[in-house]
Amino acid sequence: MLRKRCNQCIVISGESGSGKTESTNLLLHHLTALSQKGSHGSGVERTILGAGPVLEAFGNAKTKHNNNSSRFGKFIQVNYKENGMVHGAVVQKYLLEKSRIVSQAKNERNYHVFYYLLAGADQTIKETLHLTKASDYFYLNQSKCYTLEGVDEAYEFSRLKQSLEMVGFSSSKQNRLYAVLSAVLQIGNVEFVKKSTYHADETVMVSNVAAVSTISKLLMVKEETLLSALTCKRTKAAKGETIIINFKLADAVATRDAMAKCLYGALFDWIVMQVNQALLTKQESRFHKGNYIGVLDIFGFEDFGDQNYFEQFCINFANEHLHHYFNQHVFKYEQEEYRREGIKWKSIDFHDNQNCLNLIEGRPQGLLCQLDDQCNFPGASNSTVLQKFVNYQKSNPLFEVPPCRQSAFVIKHYAGKVKYQIKDFREKNLDLMRPDIVSLLKSSYSVFVRELVGSDPLSIFRWQILKAFFKAYFVFSKLREQSKQKRG
């Protein structure tokens, strides 16, 4: 970077559990240590290093194959002055696995921070925030996996608090953050029962109003408004009339879980924003004139046997794209350039996975296009989604249907075959927040809660995915162009 005065990018890829996150942390330690050149540093290095444990606590979890698996992607841009001193940094996150907040498979856990908080918070915080033990919460007790071997959760909580302080989170900010975490857990404990014993009436009401009362106190919203938002929705009819539709059990549970996912996702976005503000403020990085080194820590390719769902589909799709990008720029484009320049070169054969990308995202018959179309049909279901997949792709050699009419399909990825269960594909692809819940949170007496949901969560989510991808794409393309100019 200093020799060529050119931005650099490091991409860390590999299977789940291969050590990508640990490699990222080691790289950041190395890059910040090199910049200090025997000086005491400016403090921004300490902030950069403190951001790692914070993001891991809120974005990492135990999976079947990995006790500390990153369930989000991140791009860390470390800015340098012209003399090589660190001048600040920017963190971009994308694709947080929000479904993990409300459900986990056997031998898996929710995000680390919940267990750290319950094990390490002092008695005063526990009483104030109505915290008990992990087994008391539905969002934590589904898999019956509460601890990690060799991990002291109470110690990790104290380490998390230190890291939060390093990146500028005051005690009051931390307490507000913990209150939202407690609210998310309490939301999962809301239970519903049928209003009437009459068989035809399937509408529901909340059976444990005490949980709703606790949530209303933590989020500082009106209890009756929260009860209403969880059990019914309001729609506008002709002539401006408002129609109230009572939820059935499936709708009520979906609304409850969507609220929890929205809150946690917004909280994670807020944490990243706070980290970036600390990094920018300390060194006025917005006026940065030097170069930067970017570190892209992307998801690892995942295959959990018969337990691959929509999340693994998205993760493996992202890896498929990255693999294709490497193939194009490292093999195809470079070798074409060598041939044009008349360089003696023994061609390297490589597997072009463009057909797999076409299967997933091609228009109009790709799997994602068919899934989006099915999400627009009110009467559609996951079964009709699978049927559409089969109808359009049954002749594709990269697509298979398992025997015995399983509710699943198989894709032949560059890394091997993966079988995906169609369960919840449609619901997770929608992942929309109910307008009544958004209005409820925006009516909170807490400025902090209103700030969390001040923007459209879905728009933020999609924009961050695009930003992170094009950031890496821009860096790689620029490096390749400079390499071509140098050879010319």
Side-chain angles (χ1 to χ4, degrees):
M1 179 191 71
L2 293 176
R3 185 170 62 251
K4 296 184 178 181
R5 296 297 172 184
C6 174
N7 297 330
Q8 304 293 314
C9 187
I10 302 167
V11 177
I12 303 174
S13 184
E15 293 185 24
S16 179
S18 59
K20 296 181 298 300
T21 299
E22 188 62 27
S23 296
T24 300
N25 293 337
L26 290 171
L27 270 169
L28 291 174
H29 276 275
H30 186 63
L31 292 173
T32 54
L34 283 175
S35 75
Q36 296 181 28
K37 298 180 179 180
S39 68
H40 294 295
S42 59
V44 69
E45 294 93 343
R46 186 169 176 266
T47 306
I48 293 172
L49 298 178
V54 173
L55 296 177
E56 284 186 31
F58 285 85
N60 287 22
K62 179 189 183 304
T63 64
K64 291 181 179 179
H65 298 164
N66 186 357
N67 282 353
N68 189 34
S69 177
S70 296
R71 310 316 298 167
F72 71 107
K74 60 178 177 289
F75 182 86
I76 304 172
Q77 176 182 311
V78 183
N79 298 327
Y80 291 87
K81 296 179 182 179
E82 294 180 352
N83 64 357
M85 299 291 287
V86 171
H87 189 55
V90 178
V91 178
Q92 296 178 8
K93 75 91 185 171
Y94 49 100
L95 280 177
L96 177 70
E97 188 186 53
K98 291 189 289 184
S99 62
R100 180 168 296 274
I101 299 156
V102 301
S103 64
Q104 308 88 43
K106 186 178 179 181
N107 295 324
E108 296 197 352
R109 298 205 316 173
N110 210 317
Y111 289 105
H112 293 326
V113 68
F114 291 116
Y115 307 92
Y116 294 172
L117 177 63
L118 295 176
D122 60 42
Q123 195 58 36
T124 302
I125 292 178
K126 287 184 176 180
E127 291 177 359
T128 303
L129 302 182
H130 308 275
L131 296 172
T132 55
K133 58 184 184 295
S135 58
D136 292 335
Y137 297 102
F138 177 69
Y139 284 164
L140 303 183
N141 65 20
Q142 297 171 55
S143 67
K144 308 302 179 186
C145 182
Y146 305 113
T147 59
L148 293 178
E149 185 177 353
V151 176
D152 184 343
E153 312 275 13
Y155 168 76
E156 292 299 331
F157 181 69
S158 65
R159 181 169 169 260
L160 171 61
K161 290 180 66 176
Q162 291 176 353
S163 298
L164 285 167
E165 291 171 1
M166 287 171 65
V167 291
F169 287 79
S170 63
S171 296
S172 59
K173 281 186 177 180
Q174 290 184 40
N175 289 334
R176 290 197 293 270
L177 185 153
Y178 302 149
V180 172
L181 291 176
S182 178
V184 169
L185 293 177
Q186 291 288 344
I187 290 169
N189 282 358
V190 175
E191 298 175 350
F192 303 95
V193 294
K194 290 180 64 173
K195 279 186 177 180
S196 171
T197 56
Y198 182 57
H199 181 70
D201 185 5
E202 296 184 4
T203 59
V204 297
M205 63 180 182
V206 174
S207 62
N208 54 341
V209 180
V212 176
S213 178
T214 301
I215 298 166
S216 68
K217 292 173 183 175
L218 291 168
L219 298 179
M220 299 181 70
V221 296
K222 292 182 178 179
E223 183 178 334
E224 58 272 21
T225 308
L226 176 57
L227 268 172
S228 176
L230 289 171
T231 54
C232 64
K233 66 177 180 179
R234 291 167 170 76
T235 58
K236 293 289 183 181
K239 300 180 181 179
E241 296 178 351
T242 299
I243 299 177
I244 299 176
I245 302 175
N246 293 319
F247 286 149
K248 297 179 182 179
L249 179 60
D251 297 323
V253 171
T255 299
R256 178 197 69 187
D257 291 347
M259 180 179 179
K261 290 188 287 187
C262 174
L263 266 178
Y264 193 87
L267 183 65
F268 197 95
D269 289 338
W270 178 80
I271 289 170
V272 173
M273 182 184 70
Q274 294 294 312
V275 169
N276 284 331
Q277 284 181 353
L279 292 170
L280 289 170
T281 303
K282 290 193 174 186
Q283 291 295 314
E284 297 183 346
S285 297
R286 58 177 66 87
F287 305 115
H288 172 61
K289 295 181 180 179
N291 294 109
Y292 65 81
I293 297 176
V295 181
L296 179 65
D297 179 8
I298 196 168
F299 295 102
F301 191 89
E302 293 186 345
D303 182 4
F304 294 160
D306 288 334
Q307 301 297 319
N308 298 298
Y309 297 98
F310 185 71
E311 295 77 21
Q312 281 67 49
F313 177 76
C314 293
I315 288 170
N316 293 344
F317 172 48
N319 275 271
E320 199 78 52
H321 248 300
L322 187 63
H323 185 72
H324 180 263
Y325 185 88
F326 284 155
N327 283 345
Q328 298 297 303
H329 288 265
V330 174
F331 296 112
K332 185 177 180 179
Y333 296 156
E334 287 298 322
Q335 292 187 119
E336 288 177 354
E337 188 73 22
Y338 294 163
R339 282 191 286 270
R340 281 195 295 268
E341 294 179 4
I343 298 173
K344 291 184 179 180
W345 178 258
K346 184 179 180 180
S347 293
I348 299 174
D349 294 329
F350 65 94
H351 173 67
D352 189 348
N353 63 335
Q354 181 62 56
N355 289 336
C356 188
L357 291 174
N358 293 339
L359 163 67
I360 298 173
E361 65 177 353
R363 294 180 180 277
Q365 297 182 357
L367 302 182
L368 288 175
C369 290
Q370 293 302 316
L371 177 59
D372 286 342
D373 286 344
Q374 286 294 292
C375 286
N376 293 325
F377 287 112
S381 65
N382 289 302
S383 296
T384 62
V385 170
L386 180 59
Q387 191 58 52
K388 285 286 185 181
F389 287 178
V390 173
N391 291 344
Y392 281 97
Q393 303 297 340
K394 58 186 176 184
S395 61
N396 192 319
L398 299 180
F399 182 88
E400 293 182 1
V401 180
C404 304
R405 299 183 62 85
Q406 297 180 34
S407 297
F409 62 96
V410 175
I411 294 179
K412 295 181 181 179
H413 290 282
Y414 75 92
K417 292 183 180 181
V418 179
K419 181 167 71 174
Y420 299 101
Q421 302 296 327
I422 198 66
K423 182 178 182 293
D424 294 334
F425 253 62
R426 187 172 179 272
E427 292 78 7
K428 290 176 180 177
N429 188 54
L430 282 168
D431 195 23
L432 296 177
M433 187 62 179
R434 307 276 190 186
D436 288 354
I437 295 293
V438 175
S439 298
L440 167 75
L441 296 175
K442 285 184 176 180
S443 70
S444 170
Y445 298 116
S446 167
V447 176
F448 176 62
V449 174
R450 295 201 304 272
E451 182 183 341
L452 289 183
V453 292
S455 302
D456 176 15
L458 188 59
S459 297
I460 292 174
F461 176 71
R462 288 176 174 169
W463 172 237
Q464 286 177 335
I465 294 174
L466 291 171
K467 260 200 313 187
F469 177 78
F470 287 117
K471 171 71 75 173
Y473 183 88
F474 171 77
V475 174
F476 291 142
S477 300
K478 191 173 181 181
L479 289 176
R480 182 174 177 275
E481 186 64 30
Q482 288 173 342
S483 175
K484 288 171 62 178
Q485 291 174 358
K486 185 177 180 181
R487 287 202 302 268

